Amino acid sequence: MMSRPRFVLALFLAVCGSLYPQTSVPSPASSHQPWWRNAVTYEVYPRSFADSNNDGIGDLNGIASKLDYLEALGVDAIWITPCFPSPQKDFGYDVSDYTSIDPMYGTLADFDNLVQQARRRHIRVLMDFVLNHTSDQNPWFLDSRSSRTSARRNWYIWRNGKGPGQPPNNWISDFGGSAWTWDAKTRQYYYHYFEAAQPDLNWRNPAVEKAMFDVARFWYNRGVAGFRLDAVDTLFEDRKLHNNPYVNGEMVNKYNDNLPQNHVVLRRLRSLSDGYGAVLLGETWTDNIGQLKQYYGGHDDEIQLPMDFMFATVNTLSAPKFRHQIDSIESSGEWPVFVITNHDMERSYNRYGDGVHNDQIAKLMAALYLTLRGTAVMYYGEEIGMRNNDPTRLQDVLDPLGRMDWPKNKGRDGERTPMQWSAAPNAGFTAGKPWLPIPASYSTYNVATELRDPGSILNFYKALLRLRQENPAFAGGNYLDCDPSDPNILCFLRSYGDRSALVALNLSNRPQPLSLDLSRYEWGAGKVSVLLTTMPQPPTDLRHAVLDPFAVVILQCQGSPSASPPASASSAPPPLQEHAHFASTAAEARLPPS
Ligand code: GLC
Ligand code: CA
C-alpha cells in the first residue's frame, strides 16, 4: 500500500548524431481536445533557473528573461515549483503564505508580468500547490499552536501522546524519526508526514478545504493554467491512528497514505478547476496501474494528468521493462503522463547513462518518452544533458534529506544545481555566488555551446519537440507496438489517419537486428523517409536493418497500418489537439541543417 518513495530509506537508489530536416506536413485539423493533451510541460526549479539580480538565487524575472529560449525549445507550459514565501526548510515546500511571492523570487507584479510574457509566447504557467502541509511559520500554524482553544487549533492534527515521551502511534516521517512532534507549550503532539517544520493540515476540517480552495481561486484569477499537486496521496490519515504494519522490516504506510478520502477532495478540487478551464498535474506515486487509474477518477473527474512514476523509475535500459509500463498505461484506457526525472530524483543522465555513451543515451531516453502517446513533463536541464553534482562533504549539504541520512543518501542538491546557460563563469546563471555549485562539465554542456552544435542533445530535443507539435502522427496518433517480443529494441508506430511514424529505439549497447515486415502495412519501402535519427547511415529497408547501439531511428511512413493491431494497441485514433488560441508558430523549420 506504500505509494510514494520512502525518501529516508532510498532516495531513488540511488556521440554525435545526425539530424534530418522534417518533411513539412499540413497542420492537423482542429478538434475539441484540451490544450494539455499533447503538451510538453517544463518543470522550472526557480532557485536554479536564472538569477536576474545576482544574489546567487534564481528568480521570477530570471525565468521571464528565458522565455524566448523556452519558446524556441518548443514547450507548451512551465510548472514552477513553489516560489511562495517560505522559510526554505524544504526549499519552498514549506509555505508560510500561499497568496504571495517570496521576496527572494520577486513580487506579485513580477509574477503577473511572467504570466503575461509567457502568454505572448504561447506558454502557460502552472504553479505548485502544496496541499498536505504548511510551514510551521505559516500564521495558520502559529495560531494553531498558540493554545488548545485557538481558532485554528483544529486546522492541524493534534493528539495526546500514549504516555510520557510516547507519540500517539508508530508512524514515521518521510524525513526520518517519528511523524509526531511534541509541543511543550500546549502539551500535545502535532503530525507531519514530512519534516517537523511541515505540519500536516487537517483536511477533515471544512475550514481548511475552504482556505485552500480560496488559494486555488486566487492563482486561477491571476492567469495560472493549472497546478501541479504536491504529495496528493498524503492528505488524509486514519481517524483512529492505527499503528502502521511492517512488511519485511519496512513500515508500510497503510494508515496515513492513499486513503479513500483523498479522492473526495480531488473531485471537489477538479470541479473548482474545471470552472477555470484549468488542468491538474499530480505528484502521484503508485505501485501499480490500478492505483494510478484511481487518480484519474472513475468518471474523469479527478486529476487529468497524474504522473506515471512507475515509468519514471524503471531505472534500467530494458526494452521489456519499459514496454511493460507503456502497455499497462495504454491498456488502462487512461491518458498517459510520461516523465523521466524531476527535482526529487537523481538526474536521468546519471540514472540511465552507462558512463561511456551518456549523450547518446540521453537522446535515446528523450526519443522514448517524447514520442509516446501522452503528455510529457520535462525537468529543466535534461535537454542539455545536465548531470548530478552531488555534495562530497556533509558540511556542504543543504537538503534536509541529505543531512539526515548522510552519506547513504546524499540528498537532492545534486539534481537541483543552476541551469547551465553558457560557458561563462557560473554557467551564465549568476554574476554572484550560485547557491549550489555547478559541475565542471558546464563548459561544454550548456545552452549556448549546444545551440551551435547540430549534433547536441539540445538540438535533438528541439527536433523531437517540433515533431510532436507538427507531425499529425505524434500530435494525435495511436500507439502500436511492432514487436512485443524484442528484448532489445522498442519499435512502435504512431498512426493518425494515413500519417504514420515509426519509432525504433535500440536500448542495448550492441548493434541489434531489426526485421519488420512492412507488407503488414499499406505503405511500401519506397515511401519511407527519415524524420530524425542518431545514426549516420539510417536504415530505410526495415526488413533487414541493424540499429547501432542506443540508436534512435524515427521514420515517416505514408499510409496507415492495414494489419489488425496487437491486442495491446489502443483503439480509435483520438481527436487531435486544438491549438486555436495558441496558434502554431513553428511554420518554418527550426532544425539545424543536416
Ligand atoms: C514532494 C516534493 C518534494 C518535497 C515533498 C514535501 O514530494 O516534490 O520536493 O520535499 O513533497 O513537500
Ligand atoms: Ca536572484
Side-chain angles (χ1 to χ4, degrees), residues 4-5 7 43 45 79 81-82 90-94 128 130 132-133 174-175 193-195 198 228-234 283 285 309 342-344 399-401 412 416:
R4 62 177 23 253
F7 284 141
E43 178 186 354
Y45 197 71
W79 142 37
T81 64
D90 189 19
F91 295 103
Y93 283 97
D94 46 328
D128 209 311
V130 189
N132 174 66
H133 49 272
D174 230 28
F175 282 47
Y193 191 102
F194 298 96
E195 253 250 313
Q198 295 168 299
R228 177 265 192 184
L229 303 178
D230 185 61
V232 281
D233 47 328
T234 61
E283 192 205 7
W285 289 96
F309 286 104
N342 70 23
H343 64 283
D344 295 324
D399 179 17
L401 278 177
R412 299 165 293 178
R416 298 172 173 181

Side-chain angles (χ1 to χ4, degrees), residues 415-444:
E415 58 258 28
R416 298 172 173 181
T417 60
M419 178 69 177
Q420 295 159 200
W421 292 106
S422 72
N426 299 326
F429 164 74
T430 181
K433 184 178 184 301
W435 77 286
L436 282 176
I438 298 169
S441 54
Y442 88 86
S443 62
T444 45

Side-chain angles (χ1 to χ4, degrees), residues 380-402:
Y380 82 94
E382 71 172 70
E383 75 275 23
I384 54 170
M386 271 177 67
R387 66 197 62 185
N388 261 61
N389 192 28
D390 291 324
T392 51
R393 306 180 308 177
L394 175 57
Q395 63 259 46
D396 298 331
V397 179
L398 301 181
D399 179 17
L401 278 177

Side-chain angles (χ1 to χ4, degrees), residues 495-507:
S495 299
Y496 185 82
D498 66 351
R499 300 287 178 166
S500 293
L502 184 135
V503 179
L505 307 169
N506 180 358
L507 273 70

Side-chain angles (χ1 to χ4, degrees), residues 125-358:
V125 176
L126 308 186
M127 293 293 262
D128 209 311
F129 201 5
V130 189
L131 295 156
N132 174 66
H133 49 272
T134 71
S135 159
D136 64 352
Q137 300 306 306
N138 190 304
W140 300 343
F141 188 71
L142 294 179
D143 180 51
S144 186
R145 81 184 310 174
S146 66
S147 87
R148 286 202 191 191
T149 55
S150 80
R152 291 194 181 80
R153 184 65 171 180
N154 197 26
W155 281 40
Y156 294 84
I157 298 164
W158 292 97
R159 290 289 187 282
N160 294 327
K162 274 189 173 160
Q166 285 184 288
N169 65 19
N170 72 348
W171 297 351
I172 290 174
S173 153
D174 230 28
F175 282 47
S178 171
W180 298 93
T181 289
W182 173 249
D183 178 59
K185 183 172 174 209
T186 59
R187 307 194 60 76
Q188 278 191 315
Y189 287 88
Y190 69 87
Y191 170 69
H192 48 91
Y193 191 102
F194 298 96
E195 253 250 313
Q198 295 168 299
D200 271 48
L201 284 161
N202 175 15
W203 275 88
R204 296 187 194 274
N205 182 344
V208 166
E209 181 178 302
K210 180 176 181 311
M212 291 304 268
F213 282 17
D214 282 347
V215 168
R217 290 188 189 95
F218 175 89
W219 292 106
Y220 286 152
N221 286 328
R222 286 197 112 85
V224 163
F227 285 107
R228 177 265 192 184
L229 303 178
D230 185 61
V232 281
D233 47 328
T234 61
L235 299 187
F236 282 84
E237 300 74 32
D238 175 43
R239 266 184 202 282
K240 295 192 171 156
L241 305 185
H242 284 102
N243 277 339
N244 277 330
Y246 278 84
V247 174
N248 299 330
E250 201 182 315
M251 180 174 287
V252 176
N253 290 343
K254 180 172 175 186
Y255 292 108
N256 58 343
D257 206 340
N258 243 323
L259 267 67
Q261 289 89 340
N262 290 351
H263 295 280
V264 178
V265 166
L266 289 175
R267 281 195 286 276
R268 288 205 281 259
L269 181 60
R270 170 65 182 274
S271 150
L272 184 161
S273 299
D274 280 348
Y276 293 86
V279 69
L280 302 173
L281 174 69
E283 192 205 7
T284 39
W285 289 96
T286 55
D287 291 332
N288 57 61
I289 192 68
Q291 279 179 7
L292 183 59
K293 205 170 154 57
Q294 282 181 3
Y295 281 109
Y296 292 86
H299 307 278
D300 177 27
D301 53 357
E302 294 187 32
I303 301 176
Q304 294 103 318
L305 300 177
M307 288 185 263
D308 183 347
F309 286 104
M310 295 172 289
F311 179 92
T313 54
V314 166
N315 288 345
T316 166
L317 281 179
S318 153
K321 286 185 180 161
F322 275 111
R323 187 179 286 123
H324 172 70
Q325 295 307 336
I326 299 163
D327 285 351
S328 62
I329 187 68
E330 275 288 333
S331 53
S332 73
E334 307 291 359
W335 182 254
V337 186
F338 293 116
V339 46
I340 55 171
T341 195
N342 70 23
H343 64 283
D344 295 324
M345 306 169 74
E346 186 185 17
R347 282 198 177 263
S348 47
Y349 190 88
N350 299 78
R351 261 181 301 128
Y352 293 101
D354 65 353
V356 179
H357 309 89
N358 286 15

